[in-house]
């Protein structure tokens, strides 16, 4: 009976893994990004196609609990304030499974967004199907997408001092979006920063 | 007479046994954690002294990191005779060292060496430590003069031991 149970467990895992996206298959620079439909903190569904006038998007995987995400919140708000009017709004997505991370639930997202005065959508990646497509591995993790081709132009950190906003000397995302708005390609397309791993059960 | 001699022997035996036990659980509270920039830490990541190094990147705020620490502590204890050294590199915020990191180390009685990596140039040193590392925690580097491998994942004792054994 126990043997049968083990076989069943293995079978379930194999089937489950067949339906999950491998990180190796995730978007690379230059790839076309698929649209998605996720629930916002105002309970309405949001897709990238809801923004016909946008020139592109600054997609940020972030959450409530990670100290690195929290340290970057003001900068994420500043990015939205600067670039929404120029055609590159911020779209924030919480990739964590609330069951694995109490404090990152939908209700808590609403509270945090209100406390900080988020000016952008804050979506929950319910079912955790979207973040693996992007290959997001930590929070915060930024993906810049340009229209009309929905091309992935940048992956990485907001700037070169994730933990301490007072020591920033290179603003990766601003430089990338400025380049795209000027019809050029970003000089740096991929950067790294410390962050919290994404929580799954 | 002989009986008394044997009692004396037993007494000595237990005395030494007790010493062994207490030296294992003996823990000295710490009051500071040494802070390194990446360039200062780098030599620790490429020593050629015949030892096998297990370098774990973690932080007190990282729940999966905290969960796997006992596995690293056990490796340190079980494999110290095999010339294995464990170093826990904390990525805690420098302002939290006194209030969070040091109390954490003392509360958990961490025996492994703990150092703080304080270097804002994360894009540079993350790639330098390993080109495949995305920057997510926890992450572990295991190396000796024969082999070097980087793991961006959580460990349990069994999987960590298996990896360490493959280095010995």
């Amino acid at each position: 009976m126990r043997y049968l149970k083990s076989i069943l467990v293995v079978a379930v895992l194999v089937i489950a893994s067949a339906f999950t996206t491998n990180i190796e298959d995730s978007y690379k620079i230059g790839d076309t990004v698929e649209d998605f439909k996720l629930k916002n903190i105002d309970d309405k569904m949001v897709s990238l196609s809801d923004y016909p006038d946008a020139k592109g998007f600054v997609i940020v995987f972030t959450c409530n609990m990670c100290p690195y995400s929290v340290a970057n919140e003001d900068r994420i708000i500043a990015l939205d304030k600067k670039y929404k009017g120029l055609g590159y709004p911020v779209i924030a997505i919480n990739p964590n499974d609330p069951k694995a991370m109490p404090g990152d639930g939908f209700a808590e997202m609403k509270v945090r967004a209100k406390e900080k005065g988020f000016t952008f959508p804050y979506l929950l990646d319910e079912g955790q199907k979207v973040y693996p497509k992007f290959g997001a591995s930590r929070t915060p993790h930024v993906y810049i997408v340009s229209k009309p081709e929905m091309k992935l132009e940048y992956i990485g950190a907001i700037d070169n001092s994730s933990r301490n906003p007072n020591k920033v000397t290179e603003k990766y995302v601003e430089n990338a979006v400025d380049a795209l708005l000027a019809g050029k390609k970003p000089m740096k397309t991929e950067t790294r920063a410390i962050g919290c791993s994404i929580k799954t059960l | 007479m002989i009986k008394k001699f044997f009692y004396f022997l037993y007494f000595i035996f237990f005395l030494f046994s007790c010493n062994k036990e207490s030296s294992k659980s003996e823990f000295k509270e710490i009051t500071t954690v040494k802070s390194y920039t990446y360039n200062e830490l780098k030599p620790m990541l490429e020593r050629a002294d015949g030892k096998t190094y297990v370098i774990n990147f973690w932080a007190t705020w990282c729940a999966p990191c905290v969960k796997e620490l006992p596995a690293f502590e056990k490796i340190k204890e079980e494999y110290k005779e095999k010339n294995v050294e464990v170093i826990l590199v904390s990525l805690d915020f420098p302002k939290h060292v006194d209030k969070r990191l040091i109390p954490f180390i003392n509360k958990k009685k961490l025996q492994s060496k703990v150092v703080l990596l304080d270097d804002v140039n994360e894009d540079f040193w993350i790639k330098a430590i390993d080109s495949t590392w995305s920057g997510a925690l926890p992450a572990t580097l295991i190396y000796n003069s024969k082999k070097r491998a980087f793991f961006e994942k959580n460990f349990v004792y069994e999987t960590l031991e298996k990896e360490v054994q493959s280095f010995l």
Side-chain angles (χ1 to χ4, degrees), chain A residues 66-68 71 137-138 141 160-164 167 172 188 190-197 199, chain B residues 61 64 91-94 117-120 122-123 125-127 130-137 152:
Chain A
C66 175
Y68 267 80
S137 58
R138 62 181 190 267
H141 209 158
N160 71 339
S161 177
S162 186
R163 195 163 65 187
N164 188 346
K167 289 204 174 150
Y172 303 136
K188 275 196 180 155
E190 200 263 315
T191 63
R192 316 264 172 99
I194 295 291
C196 310
S197 56
K199 308 294 183 283
Chain B
W61 44 255
L91 272 311
D92 274 279
F93 288 39
L117 174 53
D118 180 9
D119 191 320
V120 289
E122 291 174 6
D123 183 48
W125 58 254
I126 288 170
K127 286 173 177 165
D130 193 272
S131 60
T132 66
W133 190 14
S134 75
L137 299 182
E152 184 176 321

Side-chain angles (χ1 to χ4, degrees), chain A residues 144-161:
Chain A
I144 301 176
V145 175
S146 69
K147 282 170 85 172
E149 284 151 44
M150 300 296 273
K151 199 185 269 192
L152 184 58
E153 305 277 5
Y154 172 87
I155 302 173
I158 292 172
D159 51 48
N160 71 339
S161 177

Side-chain angles (χ1 to χ4, degrees), chain B residues 60-140:
Chain B
T60 59
W61 44 255
C62 163
C65 302
V66 169
K67 194 169 175 198
E68 67 168 20
L69 281 179
F72 289 87
E73 287 282 277
K74 194 170 177 192
I75 287 286
K76 176 197 154 54
E77 190 53 41
E78 304 283 312
Y79 284 84
K80 61 183 178 205
E81 314 286 332
K82 297 259 171 83
N83 230 2
V84 173
E85 192 171 322
V86 174
I87 302 178
L88 305 175
V89 179
S90 163
L91 272 311
D92 274 279
F93 288 39
K95 63 185 178 190
H96 293 149
V97 169
D98 288 335
K99 292 245 167 70
R100 282 183 63 122
L101 181 58
I102 290 174
F104 179 87
I105 294 168
N106 288 332
K107 184 175 170 198
K108 301 279 182 182
K109 294 189 167 52
L110 293 183
Q111 304 273 15
S112 306
K113 179 173 170 177
V114 181
V115 299
L116 185 80
L117 174 53
D118 180 9
D119 191 320
V120 289
N121 293 315
E122 291 174 6
D123 183 48
F124 171 68
W125 58 254
I126 288 170
K127 286 173 177 165
I129 288 173
D130 193 272
S131 60
T132 66
W133 190 14
S134 75
L137 299 182
T140 301

